[in-house]
Amino acid sequence: MSTERAEIRTDLQRDIAVLTIDHPRRHNSLTGEMIDEFISVLGELADDPTVSVVVLTGAGAHFCAGMDIRELSSARAEGIRMEERVTDAEEALADFPKPTIAAIRGYCIGGGAQLALACDLRVAARSSEFAFTPAKLGVIYPARTIRRMVRILGPATTKRLVITGNHIDSSLAERLGVVTEVVPEDTLVSHITALTDSIVARSSITQRAAKEMIDAAACGQLNEEVERRWIDTHNPDLEIGLEAFLSGRSPQFRRPHGGDLDEWNSVL
């Protein structure tokens, strides 16, 4: 008997790490082991100086259909709240210090939608479907998840999505702020490539400072101490950027190694 594949695949291509949720028989639903693996991999990538951006996607036709209900049910019988573990993964992704992009096709449901919302940029193919589904299961979302949804989407939209649990299409998801962009199905890879190309060509110091300060501001916690820490940080990118501007050329910020972005197109 073959073993059902359920894993988080990591593909490193130059400055880009592509994380693929790979559980095809269950529309890429998440198991406890997959969540543990996901959190562990993010910790490793955060400390990897060769990685500038993380792209999160799903294998095949779907992004992620949420928590594997079979495991959710069995864990419940043992008094374990698996929804807390999904939120742990969501928090690890939101706290990741480098830019993150969700590349979404097909179902982006429940825990999958939580992970997508934790990414900095969320690009969806036009055929994608979204839903936040705790009310369909009688699950109480952790406060950490609700706080993030309210910060990003606002209280009225959060209520609509969580109270109804209804599926919404990509067009409505874009209007509500669930995704940042919607693109035709056949241009998703090229669009993600263009985004990562822009990100890796820019100052990683500026990006990390901006991400931390924007997230702090969204929580009402941006203060002069946070700003001062970044201002006082050694910043060789500033000299490179100013010199390039005055010379009328594009800046060449320090990059760990070379390569071709097309190398990872097949991963998506």
Side-chain angles (χ1 to χ4, degrees), residues 71-106:
E71 190 160 329
L72 180 65
S73 179
S74 61
R76 248 320 190 248
E78 299 175 12
I80 300 171
R81 297 183 71 230
M82 287 305 298
E83 56 268 32
E84 289 285 358
R85 294 297 293 136
V86 177
T87 297
D88 288 342
E90 173 193 341
E91 292 281 282
L93 185 55
D95 291 341
F96 191 75
K98 306 168 189 179
T100 56
I101 303 172
I104 303 164
R105 289 192 188 94

Side-chain angles (χ1 to χ4, degrees), residues 22-119:
D22 191 0
H23 190 183
R25 287 191 61 188
R26 301 286 172 177
H27 300 316
N28 296 329
S29 60
L30 297 164
T31 66
E33 288 187 2
M34 291 171 71
I35 290 171
D36 291 341
E37 183 180 5
F38 182 74
I39 294 172
S40 175
V41 167
L42 285 177
E44 294 171 4
L45 295 177
D47 295 330
D48 188 340
T50 68
V51 173
S52 299
V53 57
V54 164
V55 177
L56 178 64
T57 193
H62 299 288
F63 181 75
C64 175
M67 188 68 202
D68 190 323
I69 301 302
R70 300 170 303 172
E71 190 160 329
L72 180 65
S73 179
S74 61
R76 248 320 190 248
E78 299 175 12
I80 300 171
R81 297 183 71 230
M82 287 305 298
E83 56 268 32
E84 289 285 358
R85 294 297 293 136
V86 177
T87 297
D88 288 342
E90 173 193 341
E91 292 281 282
L93 185 55
D95 291 341
F96 191 75
K98 306 168 189 179
T100 56
I101 303 172
I104 303 164
R105 289 192 188 94
Y107 294 148
C108 183
I109 308 297
Q114 290 176 241
L115 293 182
L117 207 61
C119 289

Side-chain angles (χ1 to χ4, degrees), residues 48 79 106 157 166 185 193-194 203 226 244:
D48 188 340
T157 294
N166 289 341
E185 192 87 25
T193 300
S203 165
V226 175

Side-chain angles (χ1 to χ4, degrees), residues 28-251:
N28 296 329
S29 60
L30 297 164
T31 66
E33 288 187 2
M34 291 171 71
I35 290 171
D36 291 341
E37 183 180 5
F38 182 74
I39 294 172
S40 175
V41 167
L42 285 177
E44 294 171 4
L45 295 177
D47 295 330
D48 188 340
T50 68
V51 173
S52 299
V53 57
V54 164
V55 177
L56 178 64
T57 193
H62 299 288
F63 181 75
C64 175
M67 188 68 202
D68 190 323
I69 301 302
R70 300 170 303 172
E71 190 160 329
L72 180 65
S73 179
S74 61
R76 248 320 190 248
E78 299 175 12
I80 300 171
R81 297 183 71 230
M82 287 305 298
E83 56 268 32
E84 289 285 358
R85 294 297 293 136
V86 177
T87 297
D88 288 342
E90 173 193 341
E91 292 281 282
L93 185 55
D95 291 341
F96 191 75
K98 306 168 189 179
T100 56
I101 303 172
I104 303 164
R105 289 192 188 94
Y107 294 148
C108 183
I109 308 297
Q114 290 176 241
L115 293 182
L117 207 61
C119 289
D120 299 314
L121 303 174
R122 302 174 295 282
V123 183
R126 192 162 288 146
S127 60
S128 302
E129 293 183 40
F130 301 82
F132 294 84
T133 54
K136 291 185 175 182
L137 299 170
V139 167
I140 306 299
Y141 262 177
R144 296 173 294 165
T145 292
I146 293 296
R147 281 196 295 265
R148 175 163 295 103
M149 291 186 70
V150 171
R151 282 199 304 270
I152 296 173
L153 307 174
T157 294
T158 299
K159 286 178 181 178
R160 171 181 178 169
L161 294 174
V162 177
I163 288 173
T164 68
N166 289 341
H167 284 225
I168 60 173
D169 62 19
S170 61
S171 178
L172 181 54
E174 184 178 29
R175 294 202 299 274
L176 296 177
V178 176
V179 297
T180 48
E181 296 177 81
V182 174
V183 298
E185 192 87 25
D186 60 355
T187 66
L188 179 63
V189 170
S190 62
H191 195 85
I192 297 294
T193 300
L195 278 176
T196 55
D197 196 6
S198 294
I199 290 169
V200 300
R202 308 295 188 247
S203 165
S204 62
I205 296 174
T206 297
Q207 290 167 347
R208 292 179 70 145
K211 178 168 177 171
E212 181 179 340
M213 288 196 284
I214 291 167
D215 288 344
C219 298
Q221 297 174 353
L222 180 58
N223 53 41
E224 292 184 0
E225 181 180 349
V226 175
E227 178 189 18
R228 177 54 56 188
R229 185 171 69 251
W230 280 105
I231 290 175
D232 293 342
T233 296
H234 176 59
N235 184 6
D237 284 358
L238 178 59
E239 182 178 346
I240 293 170
L242 292 177
E243 182 180 342
F245 180 83
L246 293 173
S247 301
R249 56 179 174 78
S250 297

